[in-house]
Amino acid sequence: MINCIVLPLVSYYFPSFLTHAEYTFETRYIDVPLDHFSFITNQTFALKYLVNDSFFVDNGPIFFYTGNEGDINMFAQNSGFIFDIAPDFKALIVFAEHRYYGESLPFGNLSYTSPEYLGYLSTMQALADYVYLINNLQNTYQNSSDNLTQLPVIAFGGSYGGMLAAWQKMKYPNSILGAIASSAPIWAFKNQNPCDSFYKIITEDFKTLGGQNCVNAINASWVVLREFTNNETGKSELADMWNFCDDFETDDDIDNLIEWLTEIYAALAETNYPYPTDFLVPLPGNPVKEFCSKIDANEYANDIELLHAIGEALQIYTNYTGTTECNSLESTSEQLGEEGWNFQACTEMIMPMCSKDTDMFENTEWEFDVYSDFCYKTFGVRPWNEDVPILLYGDKDLSSAHNIIFTNGLLDPWSGYGVLTNYSSDVIALIIEEGAHHSELRAAHENDPMSVIGARAIIKDRIYNWINEYNSGAGRK
Ligand SMILES: *[C@@H]1O[C@H](CO)[C@@H](O)[C@H](O)[C@H]1NC(C)=O
Ligand SMILES: *[C@@H]1O[C@H](CO)[C@@H](O)[C@H](O)[C@H]1NC(C)=O
Ligand SMILES: *[C@@H]1O[C@H](CO)[C@@H](O)[C@H](O)[C@H]1NC(C)=O
Ligand SMILES: *[C@@H]1O[C@H](CO)[C@@H](O)[C@H](O)[C@H]1NC(C)=O
Ligand SMILES: *[C@@H]1O[C@H](CO)[C@@H](O)[C@H](O)[C@H]1NC(C)=O
Ligand SMILES: *[C@@H]1O[C@H](CO)[C@@H](O)[C@H](O)[C@H]1NC(C)=O
Ligand SMILES: *[C@@H]1O[C@H](CO)[C@@H](O)[C@H](O)[C@H]1NC(C)=O
Ligand SMILES: *[C@@H]1O[C@H](CO)[C@@H](O)[C@H](O)[C@H]1NC(C)=O
Ligand SMILES: *[C@@H]1O[C@H](CO)[C@@H](O)[C@H](O)[C@H]1NC(C)=O
């Protein structure tokens, strides 16, 4: 089977819910050029950003979150580490929204209606937006008695936002002093890592945290599910059993259902935090274990029991608060921009993904040509070739980079594509044994494992050193 699934960096299937607003900001907008790389249009659009200056004292640094694929508020509410440390640094906190997500739509509600409008959605444009905004912030907060020195900027980002933070430093070394690239899979591109790493790590997580029985049950479920749904009655019975709003009608629906399930397993592994969270969906602490506790029977007497058990277990993800009326294969997320990310994955961010017998998922292969056709069908564009991201951001040679910390939670399936070893004295990697997807960017919690606490301490220490070095006149590296 060919995999045409575009895998979002964080899963996007939400039951509807509201994020509990915890952190507060002033919302601002800045006009940025639509196209930073041509001179054929003067068009600009309003990029949204959030500012919290309550801890800022003159000459303090700017902590700048390089927004990723979603409404910026969602990331702002789930990056409490930045708030935890800002008072010690007297930092200005800024969360910048990524173009084409949230409110930052260059063509309003037309932005997604054709490639002509959507074509300005790229990492290259987004990084240039951030250069623009950072420069504006530096001018705004410039200390009037010292016009020569710009405020040092530390970029933070998680997941795709972490990739952007690292690339911000690599592409525009003068725009920021250092970058915290949290759970950033910058090596998820052609031949940089095995394409099945992602699914292998999820399988390992389920085995370690939920037990071999859980892995066996999930692994067995695909064949059962395909067989059960190979006629109309079965399709409608399963939709009923799993509380779907609509019946499954076609085999395409079943493919989509399998994609939906796959992403839920991925999301459970990514957000396996040791305390209840509300990041993608409301979840209990240790969700993988919770999920598997519902399907850990040794063997099911028949196929229907297996499907029932999985249906029950899925409620951990789809219905933890008990308020989801029915499930839907459609994304109901207002916050994560599924379509935008899919477009990015079809143009610049081409990440080969596959699954094999060594994992608990249906086997899928990676074939660039097939993927390219899928992109053309979906968006009317094709990636130029599979090398694009490597040409843009370089391969595994980081020798021209400085002041970057890459963090990797080993439970996070994306860690298979991260920077896992110290590259130089100022481009380092932190391995967080018990960490999930950007765990250490979250606010401190009493259930945090030592590895998360330790990583935060090192990050804080490094930022101090960067800023001291900068303020002592050594300048920017
Ligand atoms: C900034 O965040 C702090 C901590 O959450 C909060 O007390 C303060 O009111 C916020 N400031 C603004 C301007 O929203
Ligand atoms: C951009 O703006 C400048 C100054 O207003 C104007 O001279 C120029 O013709 C404009 N260019 C385009 C492509 O609209
Ligand atoms: C501005 O910078 C100078 C020199 O670094 C510092 O002494 C002063 O406290 C800063 N703040 C203001 C408001 O000038
Ligand atoms: C966009 O919004 C405007 C006004 O808010 C509305 O009139 C128009 O129909 C919308 N267009 C699309 C394509 O949704
Ligand atoms: C810094 O710039 C501001 C605004 O341009 C100006 O008013 C001020 O005199 C300058 N300060 C110094 C020390 O040059
Ligand atoms: C359709 O599938 C269901 C569930 O797998 C099965 O029980 C039933 O016998 C099948 N019906 C037909 C007509 O094949
Ligand atoms: C969610 O839980 C509630 C309460 O247990 C239940 O009534 C509802 O059917 C569940 N929804 C889904 C989609 O399973
Ligand atoms: C999953 O099942 C297939 C057979 O359907 C088997 O080849 C594969 O090894 C199993 N994977 C795991 C991780 O157990
Ligand atoms: C990289 O260096 C830091 C401190 O210099 C250390 O704490 C960390 O464990 C090192 N990372 C790896 C993967 O060895």
Side-chain angles (χ1 to χ4, degrees):
M1 219 190 115
I2 303 298
N3 185 10
C4 283
I5 296 176
V6 181
L7 208 78
L9 280 190
V10 282
S11 186
Y12 50 74
Y13 290 105
F14 288 73
S16 44
F17 76 101
L18 289 172
T19 305
H20 307 295
E22 192 186 337
Y23 298 107
T24 54
F25 301 88
E26 196 187 309
T27 301
R28 295 186 197 164
Y29 302 85
I30 180 176
D31 283 336
V32 294
L34 171 67
D35 185 358
H36 293 275
F37 305 109
S38 84
F39 299 89
I40 58 167
T41 168
N42 278 350
Q43 197 175 330
T44 60
F45 70 97
L47 191 86
K48 176 173 165 178
Y49 62 105
L50 308 174
V51 178
N52 183 312
D53 61 3
S54 295
F55 309 115
F56 180 67
V57 175
D58 271 323
N59 287 346
I62 299 173
F63 286 176
F64 186 92
Y65 187 94
T66 46
N68 34 320
E69 76 283 26
D71 183 325
I72 191 59
N73 190 53
M74 179 175 107
F75 302 111
Q77 297 306 334
N78 284 282
S79 308
F81 174 61
I82 297 173
F83 281 83
D84 287 349
I85 64 171
D88 289 345
F89 288 95
K90 303 180 171 33
L92 180 75
I93 302 174
V94 176
F95 280 80
E97 190 161 79
H98 192 297
R99 56 164 61 200
Y100 287 87
Y101 297 99
E103 278 182 58
S104 301
L105 301 172
F107 299 95
N109 61 5
L110 296 176
S111 299
Y112 279 89
T113 55
S114 93
E116 190 189 332
Y117 296 128
L118 197 46
Y120 302 94
L121 168 55
S122 69
T123 57
M124 295 184 281
Q125 301 278 9
L127 292 176
D129 289 340
Y130 297 155
V131 170
Y132 218 81
L133 173 54
I134 287 167
N135 180 56
N136 175 281
L137 291 165
Q138 284 175 324
N139 291 340
T140 307
Y141 289 92
Q142 180 109 49
N143 178 333
S144 60
S145 64
D146 176 8
N147 282 353
L148 294 177
T149 318
Q150 289 182 317
L151 299 184
V153 178
I154 308 296
F156 293 79
S159 192
Y160 167 48
M163 299 162 78
L164 291 173
W167 292 337
Q168 192 80 39
K169 186 60 188 160
M170 288 155 67
K171 283 301 225 202
Y172 296 101
N174 281 305
S175 70
I176 63 175
L177 176 61
I180 311 303
S182 177
S183 293
I186 65 160
W187 290 342
F189 305 116
K190 186 182 171 187
N191 295 335
Q192 290 183 318
N193 276 295
C195 61
D196 66 336
S197 299
F198 189 84
Y199 293 113
K200 239 167 144 171
I201 295 173
I202 300 173
T203 304
E204 274 308 304
D205 288 352
F206 274 72
K207 191 168 148 186
T208 315
L209 306 168
Q212 185 66 48
N213 287 340
C214 188
V215 169
N216 293 346
I218 294 170
N219 193 38
S221 71
W222 310 113
V223 172
V224 172
L225 194 154
R226 291 251 184 227
E227 268 175 23
F228 190 81
T229 57
N230 79 359
N231 70 32
E232 222 166 89
T233 324
K235 284 189 181 66
S236 120
E237 267 180 42
L238 187 70
D240 238 31
M241 187 198 294
W242 285 2
N243 293 334
F244 270 82
C245 311
D246 301 314
D247 272 358
F248 306 125
E249 278 163 9
T250 62
D251 288 339
D252 275 357
D253 288 345
I254 300 306
D255 287 343
N256 290 340
L257 173 65
I258 284 176
E259 182 184 344
W260 183 84
L261 287 166
T262 302
E263 288 189 10
I264 288 179
Y265 297 135
L268 286 168
E270 286 176 25
T271 58
N272 193 69
Y273 305 119
Y275 46 84
T277 54
D278 212 356
F279 178 39
L280 302 175
V281 298
L283 278 178
N286 304 305
V288 172
K289 192 171 145 211
E290 291 290 327
F291 179 95
C292 287
S293 72
K294 309 261 182 193
I295 47 170
D296 65 356
N298 255 328
E299 253 176 55
Y300 292 96
N302 60 51
D303 295 349
I304 297 188
E305 279 183 31
L306 172 59
L307 294 180
H308 264 296
I310 289 192
E312 276 304 304
L314 284 172
Q315 299 222 7
I316 293 287
Y317 190 83
T318 58
N319 195 21
Y320 180 55
T321 54
T323 53
T324 308
E325 265 178 40
C326 55
N327 292 317
S328 164
L329 295 179
E330 303 289 313
S331 161
T332 54
S333 160
E334 293 293 307
Q335 303 192 62
L336 262 190
E338 158 201 357
E339 202 183 348
W341 178 254
N342 287 355
F343 179 81
Q344 292 195 252
C346 270
T347 47
E348 288 176 316
M349 300 287 96
I350 303 147
M351 301 180 170
M353 286 275 167
C354 67
S355 48
K356 301 189 172 154
D357 270 349
T358 40
D359 60 56
M360 64 182 188
F361 296 91
E362 269 195 331
N363 285 3
T364 54
E365 282 169 32
W366 170 258
E367 282 187 34
F368 177 71
D369 293 342
V370 176
Y371 185 74
S372 174
D373 289 345
F374 159 79
C375 291
Y376 189 73
K377 212 175 101 202
T378 313
F379 293 109
V381 296
R382 289 180 189 282
W384 286 323
N385 58 59
E386 208 177 331
D387 297 315
V388 164
I390 292 175
L391 297 179
L392 283 178
Y393 295 109
D395 205 349
K396 291 187 164 181
D397 180 354
L398 298 177
S399 52
S400 55
H402 292 288
N403 290 3
I404 304 176
I405 302 179
F406 291 99
T407 68
N408 304 276
L410 288 192
L411 297 176
D412 179 13
W414 292 109
S415 66
Y417 310 91
V419 177
L420 295 167
T421 53
N422 284 349
Y423 195 88
S424 62
S425 62
D426 62 6
V427 175
I428 67 166
L430 302 179
I431 303 299
I432 307 175
E433 303 269 348
E434 300 124 314
H437 204 36
H438 44 73
S439 299
E440 84 291 345
L441 261 194
R442 305 183 58 81
H445 190 281
E446 59 187 1
N447 292 0
D448 281 329
M450 280 314 293
S451 55
V452 170
I453 297 169
R456 288 194 185 117
I458 294 173
I459 293 170
K460 205 174 158 186
D461 210 51
R462 285 272 164 159
I463 297 176
Y464 266 121
N465 290 343
W466 292 340
I467 293 174
N468 286 341
E469 208 174 78
Y470 177 78
N471 284 344
S472 71
R476 215 182 255 109
K477 258 195 198 146

